[in-house]
Amino acid sequence: MSRYVIGRIGQAALVLWAAFTVSFVLLQALPGDAILIKFLNPELGLGPEQIAEIRASYAADSPLWMQYFTTATNFLTGHFGYSIHAGVPVGDLLLANLPPTLWLATLGFLLSLVLAVTLAALSALSPFSWLRSFIQSIPALFISTPVFWLGILLIQVFSFQLRLIPVINPGPWEALILPVVTLAVPISAPLAQILMRNIDHVLTEPFVAVARAKGASHRWVLSKHVAKNAVLPTLTIGGILFGELLAGAVVTEAVFGLNGIGGLTQRSVGDQDIAVLQAIVVFSATAFVLINLTVDLLYPVFDPRLRVRQGALA
Amino acid sequence: MSTVITFKPVSTAHSNAPVLEIGHLAVGYRGSDGFQRVVHDVSLRVRPGEVVALVGESGSGKTTTAQAVIGLLAENGRLEAGAVRLNGTDIAGWSQKQLDTIRGSKISLIPQDPTSSLNPVKTIGAQVAEVLQIHRRGSRAEIDARVVELLARVGLSRPELRAKQYSHELSGGMRQRVLIAIAIALRPALIIADEPTSALDVTVQKRILDLIDELRREYGTAVLLVTHDLGVAADRANHIVVLKGGRIQEQGPTSEILASPRSEYTRKLLADAPSLGKIRAVPRARSPRIRGSDDAIVVQNLVQDFSVGGRREAFRAVDDVSFTVQRGTTHAIVGESGSGKTTTARGIVGFQKPTSGRILVDGVDVTTLRGENLRRFRKTIQLVYQNPFASLDPQQTIFQIVEEPLLNFDPLPRDDRARKVHAILERVGLPQSVLTRKPRALSGGQRQRVAIARALVLDPQVLVLDEAVSALDVTVQAQILELLEELQQALGLTYLFISHDLAVVRQISDTVSVLHNGRQVDSGLVEDVFLRPGSAYTRELISAIPGQRNVSPR
């Protein structure tokens, strides 16, 4: 058990280190940098020496390997450097932009879970096979819906035509409704598909026949035997979908004009604000790794087969 | 449940009114090519305390018939005509909701594969308790007590502990006992046992069948036993129903069916069943070996250890096994699961390095071979696996499957390769028309012939047959065994025959090694070992072969 936990935590640390290193190399390899973009502006009238001075103050002139180690050490101690564009600590920027994204992502994920489970349950309980195949085709529709298109469509319908949700100065909750729906729909699709396929598969298992032979009804079998077995493989995909959630948040925030990590990412890319981008990459990787670590550690809780060591003697 | 069902009082075993009466049953499945009827006009009766065996090969409709009785046909299946009377009440037209009230309480099921028949994420206790909860028998505490009582009744040690364990923590035999506990929990009038022991080792099989017998006698329960094994049916049933292609070939009291079968098909089944060897009482007459007495395989003091789960200690899978196999003869390695028979075979083929000991195949020490030499060596020794459905690549045509080994060794021109493939196919008795087909278009027996052809196309000296006939129906099994015999005579092949089935081993082998927990407990000429077994374990194995009682239980 403890070997399993230590192994998984070690893997997580390795993934984080790799994410940091790869993003560092890629960001450094970009042509131009934020200092040039900001200070080479002719209106500022700065000479080459002054720019070199500014570069030195950001330690941008030291050799790459030294920058790598300083940045790594700073990250480990919680210092993410300064945004060149905004001139404030990157940590403050992240903290300011985090809450909207966190709400958006959490609510979006929860809604996608509700959608997926509802669809899967409807399909499993539907008494007619035509109804079941209809419900099972819905996720395919969801998955082929682009986030930006769905967002614009929802604004058109609910804000401009039905006038249910104000576009200008909406309340904090009202402002979240449409973005959350936009984000949840495409993410619910793979979840629902996998859940449905798992349910259909588990229903063909001999232990389901044994349960029916005990006199259990279809509903009893679904809730007491199928549900838990069908959810197990879905856990992994749930963790992986969190990555989709981050990518989706960038587009969604742009469409709905929300100030979150997505918006910050978009602006920082435009400004080539490497310090901010580096911090965002490491932050997202940490979140992704933590979620997947949680999933891995949850598995033995749900699946007793993973609780004991298995070997040739088992 | 709104329906109230009144059953005639279940009288004791002496009442003659049948518990189950199937009349003119017809069942069909809706498939891609329309509706197909697979059970035609089946009628039979099971009286209280009686065991009726439904015997047939795969596709005979025996399982479909059993599923129709308990209302658990596959989704595309339909009971088209006929009556299923349980204690006089016709349940053929009942809805699932109505059937739920009698399943588990009046009819119950002992399934085929105990491993997949228990929910992996629920405790054993919860799964036994479930049948009591569904039918609302008692409070929580009463149910818990009854569960432990039931687990003890079916012969599980430490029942309180077992109730808290999960399926993967139990052995196959223990799992089947749990499923039997579920089946008898509410003392049903009828138990349907669908191949209840086919997935179990022979000694475990005997103990499980004995347990079912004992419980049946104790409770006066009727049993509908579905089996492909005539030996099991001969031992356990009062009455045998022989099915073929969904139709009853004949039925009658067990002794009559065995002594004077009326239908041609039953006679063939009886002749092909290796486990009824005692009934035929004709030990296989092996032709004497004329060839020189050189040894094709020599195994000396073979030991194989595996490290277990990162711990320092090792698990000894094979412990000091030695035997020699003369060229042109068949040596069998017999044992139950976990006995080390497959590990021994893997060492001989060179798939794994033994911990210690020597293995000579055709005079070459396998244990010292590496890289290209090891690859070259594989030409002299080939494997045929148990499952002909999994061992053939479904994407390749039969020609490609048989040709592939030739491409791995000495490059032959395309024409020569084709000629070789055609010749070997004819050799194993397959028509040339199968060459362009994919494995799924072939029957199990044809697939195993393809697997044998693939092994023989390289002209090997030694063939390792790992449970090569275990997955086949008896008549197909008999044909494959005959083919192997003929090939051995013609090509001078040496066989290493790995099997759990002593009856088959007796039919095909010259010499035998009996393995138990990695140790060789008996070895020598087959007839010597069978007639004068040297160890208690071998005696137990031999006595567990079904089909020896010949007379049905009273």
Side-chain angles (χ1 to χ4, degrees), chain A residues 6-313:
Chain A
I6 291 167
R8 283 293 183 272
I9 291 176
Q11 277 178 13
L14 204 68
V15 168
L16 273 185
W17 169 78
F20 174 79
T21 306
V22 169
S23 63
F24 182 86
V25 170
L26 286 179
L27 288 171
Q28 292 297 334
L30 282 178
D33 65 31
I35 297 174
L36 293 180
I37 290 175
K38 185 169 179 185
F39 298 106
L40 213 53
N41 192 335
E43 284 172 27
L44 290 174
L46 294 172
E49 302 88 41
Q50 282 154 312
I51 288 182
E53 226 166 84
I54 294 169
R55 290 184 71 87
S57 75
Y58 280 99
D61 56 347
S62 52
L64 263 188
W65 62 267
M66 215 161 117
Q67 288 188 41
Y68 175 77
F69 279 108
T70 350
T71 320
T73 334
N74 286 341
F75 267 61
L76 282 177
T77 52
H79 299 287
F80 302 113
Y82 286 87
S83 159
I84 290 163
H85 189 75
V88 295
V90 173
D92 294 355
L93 267 182
L94 279 184
L95 273 184
N97 286 292
L98 193 56
T101 307
L102 217 53
W103 277 115
L104 180 64
T106 313
L107 293 175
F109 196 64
L110 286 180
L111 182 63
S112 71
L113 277 186
V114 171
L115 277 175
V117 170
T118 310
L119 281 175
L122 282 177
S123 133
L125 287 171
S126 67
F128 316 107
S129 60
W130 62 265
L131 185 60
R132 189 166 50 208
S133 26
F134 172 73
I135 295 170
Q136 295 202 340
S137 65
I138 293 177
L141 177 73
F142 279 8
I143 211 166
S144 49
T145 312
V147 173
F148 63 89
W149 178 82
L150 181 66
I152 293 167
L153 186 84
L154 287 176
I155 294 178
Q156 273 292 332
V157 172
F158 287 97
S159 296
F160 293 136
Q161 298 195 344
L162 301 176
R163 296 180 184 281
L164 288 175
I165 296 160
V167 193
I168 298 159
N169 285 332
W173 292 106
E174 281 177 324
L176 273 176
I177 295 175
L178 291 183
V180 164
V181 173
T182 310
L183 195 57
V185 163
I187 291 191
S188 69
L191 278 179
Q193 271 174 331
I194 287 164
L195 213 47
M196 285 170 180
R197 202 166 309 148
N198 288 343
I199 289 173
D200 285 351
H201 172 74
V202 176
L203 277 173
T204 65
E205 293 275 351
F207 65 78
V208 168
V210 169
R212 295 305 311 264
K214 292 175 187 169
S217 64
H218 184 54
R219 272 161 194 266
W220 177 294
V221 167
L222 278 180
S223 64
K224 308 233 169 183
H225 289 277
V226 177
K228 202 168 167 188
N229 279 289
V231 161
L232 280 176
T234 320
L235 271 180
T236 306
I237 213 72
I240 292 168
L241 279 177
F242 182 78
E244 297 274 315
L245 209 60
L246 288 176
V250 174
V251 182
T252 312
E253 285 175 13
V255 171
F256 290 95
L258 292 174
N259 283 319
I261 299 285
L264 180 66
T265 312
Q266 197 198 357
R267 288 193 301 279
S268 306
V269 169
D271 299 335
Q272 289 206 9
D273 207 336
I274 288 174
V276 180
L277 287 175
Q278 178 82 55
I280 288 175
V281 170
V282 171
F283 167 77
S284 320
T286 312
F288 190 72
V289 162
L290 281 182
I291 296 247
N292 282 288
L293 184 65
T294 316
V295 168
D296 280 347
L297 296 184
L298 272 180
Y299 257 107
V301 177
F302 288 109
D303 194 341
R305 283 166 294 185
L306 295 173
R307 272 177 230 162
V308 285
R309 224 177 340 211
Q310 291 200 320
L313 283 171

Side-chain angles (χ1 to χ4, degrees), chain A residues 132 205-207 209-210 212-217 220 224-225 228-229 232 302-305 307-313, chain B residues 70 72 75 96 100 103-104 107 109 111 116-122 127 130-131 133-135 166 168 179 182 309 315:
Chain A
R132 189 166 50 208
E205 293 275 351
F207 65 78
V210 169
R212 295 305 311 264
K214 292 175 187 169
S217 64
W220 177 294
K224 308 233 169 183
H225 289 277
K228 202 168 167 188
N229 279 289
L232 280 176
F302 288 109
D303 194 341
R305 283 166 294 185
R307 272 177 230 162
V308 285
R309 224 177 340 211
Q310 291 200 320
L313 283 171
Chain B
I70 197 167
L72 288 178
E75 209 178 333
Q96 288 294 328
D100 282 342
R103 280 194 288 240
I107 316 182
L109 174 76
S116 55
S117 294
L118 287 169
N119 189 336
V121 300
K122 294 185 84 164
Q127 297 188 60
E130 191 177 20
V131 65
Q133 288 158 356
I134 290 169
H135 298 281
Y166 290 91
H168 70 271
L179 287 155
I182 294 171
F315 169 67

Side-chain angles (χ1 to χ4, degrees), chain B residues 189-217:
Chain B
L190 175 71
I191 292 178
I192 294 175
D194 185 2
E195 303 269 13
T197 55
S198 306
L200 301 173
D201 280 328
V202 59
T203 53
V204 184
Q205 172 179 49
K206 180 165 185 289
R207 278 179 233 135
I208 293 290
L209 290 171
D210 285 347
L211 173 67
I212 296 177
D213 249 0
E214 186 190 319
L215 294 166
R216 172 184 63 84
R217 262 197 289 273

